[in-house]
Amino acid sequence: MIRRIRWPLGWLVLLALASQGAAQEPAPAQENAPARLRVGDVLPPLAGVDLAGRPVTLKDLAGDGAVVLSFWSVHCRDCVRELDDLRLVGREFRGEDLTLVAVNTDSGLPVNRIAGFVRRYEAARGPLGVAHLLDRDAAILRSLGIRYIPLLVVADRTGRITALVSGYRQGDRERLGRALEEGTVALGAWGTGLRARLVTLLRSQGAGGGVEWGSFRVEAELPRFGLYDASGWIADPVGRADREAESRRVEGVVADRLRVALAQEALASVGVRLPGPDAAARAGEGIRVPESPLAGDGRWARLYADLEFDGLYREEDRQALWTGDVYRAGMVGDVDLGRLRAKLKDLEFPTKPSTIRLEVVTDFDFKARAVLEELRRVSYRLQQVRGEDLIYYGTPGQLAAEIRGLSLGLRIFAEPQGEDRVRVELF
């Protein structure tokens, strides 16, 4: 949600008078932009008061270091939600020459009410660990031309603005792109929380210059598998009543599911959208016990290994709990998207799939079905099957090579036919 700044009536009158005197000057472009600021501008001197009502300047709070300004209001729900993320970011970048400043825009509220709001919030959630700058006369809003909050302004040690982020809503890339202007951040990598955006911004301005980082939050859950009675789980499928062993197995499977979910989210952020691992399902007259998606030679195990994904991310947070017989876990991971793109390039993996028609010649239809089932299981390039058409991240030549490599005990001949067809003969 984006909250438009409501200017006090007195300031509206002053602005109207000022606009009459400046009628000859061109109006600033991008009327939908969150502020008059642009990436590359230099922050002007900013002054206000602290939570005790004492005069303070941005220079007093940040010195000569880099600064992140987060503009908020007690009436802006999205702004308040992001205060908790500010605390996490402060912990993560503690010890670095960086100051986080929460800039309150409620010039019409008494200072003690804003300070009381912050005290109540910290009593419930813990210390925020940020500096506070209260804009009492809307001077900061006017000098920066701020129109919407929440707004994030990131400036380097020289005071040059390196990024502007306005109340991000997932999928609203066009507006965010206008706000970022010439920023180097990968838009698709951003989560909806402030921490994800800020970590991405700060790491994108590292010594490497064009580094792309994405921060993702993923979750997974799985119950103990086996036999149940009215009191809950009693044994695994073969009758072993070792609750501790079954709990360890479930926790291991969930941990691997989180890693695969992180890889799936990161790939989607760079344009590669793949179906998730297959869920456990019935197999004939028995059952298939849920297994790790990274075990065996399935498609996600292969892709994870080929990408060497363990070396592409770092885990920033993990939380888990058992509720009855169900294990639930969540993880926040930061992925090096620049290296991920390079890995995909090495694998000749395009970011857009192609539609390839499969022409199959066989004496029995079950052989064709067996080929498609095995291809779904092992090929991470296969996104979807639509009748005779395969939605595939690759060329007909790559698809034909994958089909020839299937281990099915069949004589398989597969050759590309032009740019969008593969002929397969099965005997």
Side-chain angles (χ1 to χ4, degrees), residues 218-222 254-255 258 318-321 327-331:
V218 293
E219 298 182 13
E221 64 179 61
L222 187 67
V254 168
L258 289 175
R318 182 191 290 260
Q319 297 182 29
L321 57 85
Y327 182 67
R328 295 179 169 88
M331 177 175 71

Side-chain angles (χ1 to χ4, degrees), residues 104-380:
N104 181 270
T105 61
D106 296 311
S107 58
L109 295 181
V111 172
N112 60 359
R113 180 175 172 185
I114 299 169
F117 179 92
V118 173
R119 282 196 300 272
R120 290 191 300 274
Y121 192 90
E122 291 187 326
R125 305 292 292 172
L128 287 172
V130 302
H132 290 275
L133 182 62
L134 280 57
D135 187 11
R136 299 311 298 152
D137 54 4
I140 295 177
L141 294 180
R142 293 198 315 280
S143 65
L144 303 183
I146 293 175
R147 303 180 180 95
Y148 302 102
I149 57 173
L151 176 68
L152 204 67
V153 178
V154 182
D156 62 19
R157 291 173 178 82
T158 68
R160 185 181 66 87
I161 296 172
T162 56
L164 296 167
V165 187
S166 173
Y168 180 65
R169 295 173 298 188
Q170 195 165 9
D172 198 359
R173 297 186 183 180
E174 182 179 354
R175 181 179 55 79
L176 182 57
R178 291 198 300 268
L180 281 171
E181 299 260 80
E182 301 299 326
T184 59
V185 179
L187 299 184
W190 292 29
T192 56
L194 179 143
R195 181 200 166 275
R197 292 181 273 152
L198 188 50
V199 168
T200 303
L201 279 169
L202 296 175
R203 292 194 175 139
S204 296
Q205 298 162 31
V211 178
E212 289 181 279
W213 280 89
S215 184
F216 305 90
R217 188 184 303 268
V218 293
E219 298 182 13
E221 64 179 61
L222 187 67
R224 292 187 180 93
F225 197 76
L227 307 176
Y228 284 77
D229 63 12
S231 64
W233 185 89
I234 57 175
D236 67 15
V238 296
R240 293 175 298 200
D242 190 337
R243 177 179 291 268
E244 188 173 327
E246 173 63 11
S247 298
R248 288 197 301 270
R249 187 189 70 80
V250 168
E251 290 172 6
V253 172
V254 168
D256 286 348
R257 287 187 177 183
L258 289 175
R259 293 158 70 195
V260 168
L262 183 64
Q264 187 179 11
E265 290 289 328
L267 286 166
S269 78
V270 298
V272 178
R273 290 171 173 79
L274 297 173
D278 295 329
R282 293 181 178 276
E285 296 180 357
I287 51 177
R288 183 182 302 158
V289 177
E291 295 180 347
S292 164
L294 299 180
D297 62 346
R299 53 194 169 88
W300 273 105
R302 292 183 178 213
L303 179 57
Y304 198 93
D306 287 351
L307 289 175
E308 298 178 315
F309 193 77
D310 278 338
L312 299 183
Y313 82 95
R314 55 187 175 196
E315 183 179 312
E316 297 298 339
D317 187 26
R318 182 191 290 260
Q319 297 182 29
L321 57 85
W322 279 96
T323 53
D325 290 306
V326 179
Y327 182 67
R328 295 179 169 88
M331 177 175 71
V332 175
D334 295 340
V335 182
D336 188 334
L337 297 179
R339 290 178 59 197
L340 177 60
R341 293 178 193 274
K343 289 286 186 182
L344 290 171
K345 185 176 181 180
D346 291 343
L347 294 174
E348 298 181 350
F349 199 114
T351 56
K352 292 185 178 180
S354 302
T355 300
I356 302 176
R357 174 62 59 90
L358 208 60
E359 299 176 346
V360 181
V361 178
T362 181
D363 49 352
F364 291 102
D365 288 343
F366 74 83
K367 295 180 180 179
R369 292 196 298 271
V371 166
L372 283 178
E373 288 177 5
E374 184 67 4
L375 197 62
R376 282 194 186 99
R377 189 183 73 83
V378 302
S379 175
Y380 53 71

Side-chain angles (χ1 to χ4, degrees), residues 387-406:
E388 298 177 347
D389 292 334
L390 274 58
I391 312 302
Y392 186 80
Y393 284 96
T395 65
Q398 289 172 316
L399 175 57
E402 280 204 274
I403 293 174
R404 290 195 300 268
L406 298 177

